Amino acid sequence: MKVVPFILLALAATPIQAKCLRLAITVTETSLTASGGRAVPATIIAPTKPGRYPLIAFSHGAFAAPSRYRAMLDPIAAAGYVIVAPMHIDSELMHHDKPPSQADVWLTRNEDLSLALAATPPNADRRRRAAMGHSYGALNAQVSAGAVPANPPERPGAPPQALVAWSPPGPFPGLIEASGWSSISTPSLTITGTSDIMPGFIDNWELHRTAYDNTPPGKRWLWVGTGINHYFGGMFGREKPASPQEKRLFDRAIATTIAFLDLSFKRPRGCPVGDAITGEMLEIDK
């Protein structure tokens, strides 16, 4: 394993040097059709420049919505990716006569992500596909890439070729055990922070790295931000003004995500990560 320490305690922070490809993007609201004719609202964010770009299926966190992740998704799309982000039935923006059961949420979330991975936007290259998610959505993305939960869903089609998990949950009784991540063979990037705590659910931030620790070594990246919480201070999910340092580390996490995806798809390095800044750590298997 190659471990690249990105916590510079004795040195002043170096300027962020990542200079990324920045294409113009367009945002389209559409709908996917699930089993039984269920309509799944979805947001597609894609470069306007003609071309064939890798497809990323994105799953939002519990009760959130794709619109609350634009700070995360827009720069990734601008780096040359087509993002398909379904809105799950547990979103606070969905209206139900009766709240959906947890069983229905789990079933439909996994189905929604499968639909997104199978989507065919005009400029997407479906031969190159990645799954990405945050929190609950990170687990859905991991399941699409081969993780085995307590209640495995159907997995139509081949798994994606890359996996990005922002703050995935740790082991949880009745949902997934630590061994459930041992079956992932897809190259993966896990992102978390030392303040990534959700009292009563995840009381130790290191639980978020359980998936990384239990995935077979060889194709794993782990990024950790010092002082970073579940929403990077409000950059996405539960949006609110973040501190300058949280914004800087968020930019670093985005640059790392793009670099990981570019490497996974053997694309020209359009977003070199550049020098590290104070407060980040990156581990890379080699």
Side-chain angles (χ1 to χ4, degrees):
M1 175 192 295
K2 178 184 178 184
V3 179
V4 184
F6 272 13
I7 299 181
L8 309 179
L9 298 179
L11 301 176
T14 55
I16 297 176
Q17 296 181 357
K19 295 181 179 179
C20 302
L21 178 66
R22 284 288 182 263
L23 300 174
I25 60 172
T26 184
V27 180
T28 303
E29 300 298 334
T30 186
S31 180
L32 308 173
T33 303
S35 59
R38 178 175 63 90
V40 181
T43 301
I44 298 176
I45 309 173
T48 58
K49 182 179 179 180
R52 304 293 287 178
Y53 304 101
L55 182 146
I56 300 174
F58 176 77
S59 180
H60 62 73
F63 312 120
S67 60
R68 298 177 183 175
Y69 290 85
R70 293 288 302 277
M72 176 194 294
L73 302 181
D74 285 11
I76 296 173
Y81 291 88
V82 175
I83 297 174
V84 181
M87 185 186 297
H88 303 304
I89 64 171
D90 59 291
S91 172
E92 294 168 335
L93 302 186
M94 296 284 276
H95 302 288
H96 306 283
D97 294 333
K98 180 181 178 181
S101 68
Q102 288 302 312
D104 284 343
V105 169
W106 172 251
L107 176 67
T108 57
R109 271 181 160 268
N110 288 294
E111 184 178 21
D112 295 348
L113 199 60
S114 293
L115 290 171
L117 283 167
T120 56
N123 55 349
D125 180 357
R126 287 195 58 251
R127 296 170 300 176
R128 298 181 292 171
R129 301 174 304 136
M132 182 168 73
H134 171 242
S135 193
Y136 195 165
L139 178 59
N140 298 128
Q142 290 170 334
V143 168
S144 77
V148 179
N151 183 19
E154 293 184 11
R155 289 195 187 96
Q161 291 97 353
L163 166 66
V164 181
W166 293 66
S167 299
F172 196 83
L175 185 60
I176 190 168
E177 302 296 333
S179 60
W181 288 287
S182 64
S183 55
I184 294 178
S185 59
T186 299
S188 63
L189 165 63
T190 302
I191 295 173
T192 186
T194 60
S195 295
D196 196 350
I197 295 169
M198 304 184 74
F201 179 54
I202 298 176
D203 294 316
N204 182 343
W205 76 266
E206 291 183 319
L207 289 171
H208 291 289
R209 61 171 290 161
T210 305
Y212 167 83
D213 291 329
N214 286 275
T215 299
K219 300 176 181 178
R220 304 173 303 175
W221 292 32
L222 172 69
W223 186 96
V224 180
T226 301
I228 290 301
N229 67 15
H230 202 59
Y231 304 106
F232 272 74
M235 292 299 300
F236 55 76
R238 294 290 181 264
E239 296 171 296
K240 63 179 183 179
S243 72
Q245 177 65 355
E246 288 166 334
K247 291 178 181 178
R248 282 191 289 268
L249 288 173
F250 176 71
D251 288 343
R252 297 295 301 169
I254 291 294
T256 301
T257 296
I258 295 169
F260 167 78
L261 290 168
D262 287 346
L263 182 64
S264 297
F265 291 115
K266 299 179 172 60
R267 304 178 76 203
R269 186 59 63 85
C271 187
V273 175
D275 292 339
I277 69 169
T278 299
E280 61 178 350
M281 180 277 291
L282 178 67
E283 294 182 13
I284 303 176
D285 279 352
K286 290 290 186 182

